[in-house]
Amino acid sequence: MLKTVLAPRFAVPLVLAVLVVGLSFALPSNFYLRVAALVWISALAVIGLNLLMGYAGQVSLGHAGFFGIGAYAVAVLPAQFSLHPLLAALAGALAAGLLAYVVGRPILRLKGHYLAVATLGFGMLIAMTISNEAWLTGGPDGMPVERLTLLGWRVRGADTWYWITGGLLVIGAWIAGNLVASPTGRALRALHDSEVAARVAGIDVARAKLTVFVISAVYAAVAGAALALVNGFVTPDKANFMHSIELVTMVVLGGMGSILGSVAGAAILVVLPQVLTSFHDYEHMVLGLIMMVIMIVLRSGIVPGLASLLTGRRK
Amino acid sequence: MRSTDPLLEVSGLRSAYGRIEALHGVSLQVDAGEIVALVGGNGAGKTTLLRTISGVQPMSGGGLSFAGRDISRASPHARVAAGIAQVPEGRQIFAPLAIEDNLRLGAYLRKDAEIAADLARVYDLFPVLKERRKNPAGGLSGGQQQMLAIGRALMSRPKLLLLDEPSMGLAPVLVDQVFEIITRLNREDGVTVFLVEQNAFAALSIATRGYVIETGEIAMEGKGSDLLADDRVREAYLGV
């Protein structure tokens, strides 16, 4: 019994749930709750991307594109077709998944740098579409997002969104943990290590890659939709190249192939810029320095790095 | 002696890397219950032939049929489902994964209830794997990794086991062990074996029949013991 509870796929969502509940008492003001909600949202997208990068070993430099699709779905669909925001979010997630399925087939045949450039181009295409179709999306200025109402209750306030996004994160981590522990998860780690061996073990490598690409796109779209609803406003910069890079950085910084690492990576890159504002002009320099030091000291990322340091000492 | 319907039939098989053809029309067959060895030097096309049979290397001509079915266009995973399992060259175990996860991946396409029994059988053949089943496979020695690679292939319950250089990089005592296991699998579990080897002596000693491949073509064929006694084979591959 205790052993099943301690298995990573149960332990990780449990740890996160405790973290979400615990922080709600510790955080002193709405400002902190809001920053925490932003961390949970980024972490959700990063968990999805980590399934693709850390487990299956495939890179995507265009994930902000899927994030943008989710965000703009909850902005555009209610405004144009007066769709309920929740249905719009669902439609955004479906659209991102479908698009990932269609572009993933040709793109995922590529490897390494070629895959990186292809996904980069794909992400830019989405960002440009969002920026250029001003009649629909408001163009570079962005557009407002209709407030979410559930059964007549207007969802508002930093604390409410803290709980909703925290809940989404725990659910996302739980699903990801189950996926990783399933035969599909084993197949992903296998093809990461050796595609030839995975093939002769009977794994349909192309299909396994496509599956995880679609799943990671849906994670990004759900996170994008959540961010749009929390902010009440969307801008194209959440779909652009810099945001894709930010997501990839969060994966690597937190730890490839670690779900808790995804949360740690997101937390660092969302919280640190807020903390470092006291350095004024030197803010970005200090942030860059901290990131470099983390990668040099903890080469495999924050969570796996710390874990191996701790177990290493015990031995 | 031979039954009329071979388990694996390779006819006029051609395969190329870009414009360089590596197999110039190879024909051979493996009957159910046999151990067939393919021996030859470096670059003769042994590994290419095996990879073409398992489907990870495209073929450019000729025919390939397994258990009476044409499989020349089947994808690698469909061939595994049909009953072909390959132990790839250089073992290619999944180093960061636990030993047991490696074995379970061998049964990836299976949904039946006997996976646990087959896992027990592999542990029975290779007790060292059971002792360390929770550890990452990368920590195993070369010989143990070879055993894991064979075990992983067995987990798909193959009718035909393809072995690519099982003796490569192993100490002589381990080579004997591995070849003894292969004989046992053939005798006790009824697995048909097609193995490719540079170590011609070890391979031909356990083989029912053998083929000699030279620069992408079959040069000789015969019973394992006959090839071992053949002067040309002895001179070229056995160094006597």
Side-chain angles (χ1 to χ4, degrees):
Chain A
M1 175 65 193
L2 188 66
K3 219 175 167 184
T4 27
V5 173
L6 287 178
R9 70 193 159 116
F10 297 112
V12 169
L14 201 68
V15 167
L16 287 177
V18 169
L19 186 71
V20 169
V21 174
L23 271 182
S24 75
F25 294 110
L27 295 176
S29 76
N30 273 349
F31 170 73
Y32 290 91
L33 287 176
R34 195 185 129 68
V35 171
L38 295 179
V39 171
W40 304 152
I41 291 169
S42 283
L44 189 65
V46 176
I47 287 176
L49 187 58
N50 209 339
L51 291 174
L52 182 73
M53 288 178 62
Y55 290 95
Q58 311 298 311
V59 69
S60 168
L61 295 184
H63 251 55
F66 297 121
F67 194 94
I69 288 174
Y72 274 86
V74 293
V76 172
L77 294 180
Q80 296 280 332
F81 308 103
S82 34
L83 204 64
H84 189 274
L86 275 189
L87 286 178
L90 192 69
L94 278 177
L98 201 67
L99 193 66
Y101 183 80
V102 173
V103 297
R105 284 181 158 242
I107 275 187
L108 289 168
R109 287 193 194 160
L110 304 170
K111 290 192 172 74
H113 300 115
Y114 304 99
L115 177 63
V117 171
T119 52
L120 172 71
F122 162 76
M124 283 178 157
L125 215 64
I126 294 181
M128 278 170 63
T129 310
I130 290 174
S131 282
N132 291 340
E133 304 300 315
W135 60 276
L136 190 67
T137 63
D141 297 335
M143 69 184 288
V145 178
E146 194 182 296
R147 285 288 167 198
L148 179 64
T149 44
L150 285 173
L151 308 167
W153 169 56
R154 280 192 78 198
V155 181
R156 53 180 303 168
D159 50 344
T160 315
W161 281 113
Y162 174 91
W163 289 111
I164 293 175
T165 52
L168 273 177
L169 174 67
V170 172
I171 294 169
W174 179 72
I175 295 174
N178 272 299
L179 180 81
V180 168
S182 74
T184 308
R186 264 204 300 271
L188 292 178
R189 284 186 292 159
L191 74 89
H192 186 179
D193 201 43
S194 162
E195 281 197 22
V196 168
R199 281 210 177 89
V200 300
I203 294 164
D204 186 342
V205 169
R207 198 191 150 117
K209 283 186 194 173
L210 191 60
T211 307
V212 71
F213 190 60
V214 169
I215 291 172
S216 71
V218 170
Y219 267 84
V222 171
L227 184 72
L229 288 171
V230 171
N231 282 344
F233 203 83
V234 285
T235 49
D237 65 324
K238 282 298 164 194
N240 74 10
F241 172 61
M242 279 314 291
H243 190 221
S244 285
I245 297 297
E246 202 179 357
L247 292 174
V248 170
T249 311
M250 288 171 178
V251 170
V252 177
L253 205 61
M256 302 257 277
S258 162
I259 291 171
L260 277 182
S262 306
V263 183
I268 293 261
L269 284 196
V270 173
V271 174
L272 266 189
Q274 308 282 348
V275 175
L276 297 176
T277 44
S278 54
F279 286 91
H280 302 290
D281 291 353
Y282 300 103
E283 180 195 328
H284 288 98
M285 242 173 85
V286 176
L287 180 64
L289 202 66
I290 290 175
M291 282 164 61
M292 278 172 65
V293 169
I294 289 177
M295 286 323 292
I296 291 167
V297 177
L298 303 167
R299 285 170 199 203
S300 48
I302 297 169
V303 170
L306 286 178
S308 71
L309 271 184
L310 287 175
T311 50
R313 280 215 188 110
R314 243 181 257 149
K315 268 172 196 167
Chain B
M1 272 255 303
R2 269 193 235 152
S3 66
T4 46
D5 209 12
L7 183 63
L8 175 76
E9 184 156 31
V10 178
S11 47
L13 189 73
R14 293 172 178 276
S15 184
Y17 294 95
R19 278 155 62 192
I20 301 161
E21 194 174 72
L23 300 176
H24 317 295
V26 171
S27 298
L28 55 80
Q29 62 178 52
V30 179
D31 294 335
E34 279 190 313
I35 297 181
V36 175
L38 177 76
V39 299
N42 260 333
K46 301 187 303 292
T47 293
T48 306
L49 176 62
L50 222 56
R51 286 167 57 93
T52 313
I53 295 173
S54 67
V56 289
Q57 161 79 21
M59 51 191 275
S60 45
L64 197 59
S65 74
F66 181 70
R69 266 178 49 208
D70 177 23
I71 56 160
S72 53
R73 283 171 205 284
S75 57
H77 55 95
R79 297 184 198 196
V80 176
I84 301 178
Q86 185 189 8
V87 180
E89 185 182 29
R91 309 183 265 272
Q92 304 259 19
I93 55 147
F94 305 118
L97 271 67
I99 288 166
E100 188 151 305
D101 282 345
N102 268 267
L103 293 173
R104 286 191 183 284
L105 274 162
Y108 182 70
L109 289 176
R110 292 174 56 189
K111 301 264 185 289
D112 56 282
E114 288 166 50
I115 294 174
D118 286 358
L119 194 61
R121 169 64 176 158
V122 170
Y123 284 147
D124 171 50
L125 284 166
F126 309 112
V128 62
L129 298 183
K130 185 174 188 176
E131 276 164 39
R132 307 174 60 174
R133 64 183 190 275
K134 301 272 182 216
N135 297 355
L140 293 173
S141 72
Q144 292 163 345
Q145 290 189 8
Q146 186 63 56
M147 291 169 188
L148 178 59
I150 294 175
R152 182 179 63 192
L154 289 177
M155 287 301 292
S156 70
R157 271 220 175 164
K159 296 192 186 88
L160 174 66
L161 184 63
L162 305 174
L163 293 157
D164 196 345
E165 303 262 3
S167 77
M168 189 165 73
L170 299 188
V173 55
L174 282 173
V175 174
D176 291 347
Q177 255 185 50
V178 166
F179 278 87
E180 198 214 298
I181 293 278
I182 295 168
T183 324
R184 256 182 86 188
L185 284 173
N186 178 255
R187 220 177 30 233
E188 294 172 18
D189 300 20
V191 180
T192 308
V193 177
F194 181 53
L195 78 136
V196 147
E197 259 297 343
Q198 279 201 51
N199 186 339
F201 180 76
L204 291 173
S205 306
I206 64 160
T208 337
R209 287 186 306 114
Y211 291 89
V212 178
I213 187 169
E214 275 170 11
T215 57
E217 281 167 296
I218 298 293
M220 296 172 71
E221 67 167 294
K223 277 169 49 179
S225 48
D226 291 351
L227 287 177
L228 265 182
D230 187 277
D231 284 344
R232 281 200 297 158
V233 175
R234 287 167 69 88
E235 202 175 315
Y237 301 107
L238 302 176
V240 284

